[in-house]
Amino acid sequence: PSDDTDYLKEGRRHFESEDGGFLVDDLTPGTYGLTILAKGYTGKTLPAIFKRDVVVEQPKVSGYHLEAGEVLSVGTISLEKAITLRGKVISGIDGEAVAGVKITTGPYWETSSDASGSFELNDISIDTHILHVVHPEYAPVRETVTPEDLALNKPLVIEMDFGASVEGVVRD
């Protein structure tokens, strides 16, 4: 997420406490997902279903099912430190900055390039990322960024070329 307002999207709740504790006590019975996001740390979605004190691995189920009156304790959740990936998007034709480019990777990270073509992806993990770079006037770009690239802490330069078109007529 790029700023605090990203945490407050529909269906999400924002918690702050010095000790990292959280409690959601006004849920109706149902199935809920649990994703933890914190500035300066990578996000984490818990991969298991927790029922009372038993952990049941169910990779195809994407949530926690709570019955009326049930209390779910997820214990301590550890998050890893994150970094900021900075870069610039330029036209591969003339080297000029490209504004309004959408850059995404993974489930949590999305940003757009500004008027100077610059962008920042905040709080990303130190892993391999495939950046999806999209602008309506250019061909989409997929750029792989490795942990070694991230360790260099140098701005990434992404070149975009104009897209091509296919024209024709279909007849029966």
Side-chain angles (χ1 to χ4, degrees):
S2 59
D3 61 40
D4 288 336
T5 60
D6 288 337
Y7 294 104
L8 302 175
K9 293 180 180 174
E10 184 177 333
R12 296 183 180 182
R13 298 187 186 195
H14 180 104
F15 295 93
E16 285 187 35
S17 69
E18 289 188 25
D19 68 355
F22 64 93
L23 171 67
V24 183
D25 61 0
D26 57 350
L27 297 173
T28 58
T31 301
Y32 294 90
L34 183 58
T35 299
I36 309 298
L37 302 172
K39 286 199 148 308
Y41 295 87
T42 62
K44 181 178 272 188
T45 299
L46 299 186
I49 299 296
F50 289 79
K51 289 294 275 182
R52 294 173 180 82
D53 293 328
V54 178
V55 178
V56 182
E57 295 293 334
Q58 296 182 5
K60 293 189 177 188
V61 179
S62 61
Y64 301 93
H65 186 76
L66 298 175
E67 301 295 334
E70 184 173 6
V71 176
L72 170 69
S73 175
V74 295
T76 300
I77 301 163
S78 297
L79 301 179
E80 296 177 19
K81 284 283 195 181
I83 64 166
T84 297
L85 172 64
R86 292 175 177 80
K88 184 172 185 170
V89 183
I90 62 171
S91 167
I93 310 301
D94 58 14
E96 293 293 318
V98 182
V101 176
K102 182 177 173 182
I103 301 108
T104 60
T105 186
Y108 313 118
W109 305 288
E110 178 179 314
T111 192
S112 295
S113 62
D114 63 17
S116 70
S118 297
F119 68 88
E120 287 187 357
L121 282 168
N122 296 309
D123 300 335
I124 68 168
S125 58
I126 304 173
D127 292 314
T128 297
H129 292 276
I130 298 174
L131 302 181
H132 300 273
V133 184
V134 181
H135 188 283
E137 296 176 18
Y138 293 85
V141 173
R142 286 176 45 121
E143 182 85 22
T144 300
V145 180
T146 66
E148 293 78 19
D149 297 328
L150 295 170
L152 295 174
N153 201 24
K154 293 171 52 176
L156 179 67
V157 177
I158 300 173
E159 290 187 18
M160 296 190 81
D161 291 319
F162 290 115
S165 299
V166 175
E167 185 177 303
V169 176
V170 176
R171 298 179 191 224
D172 58 0

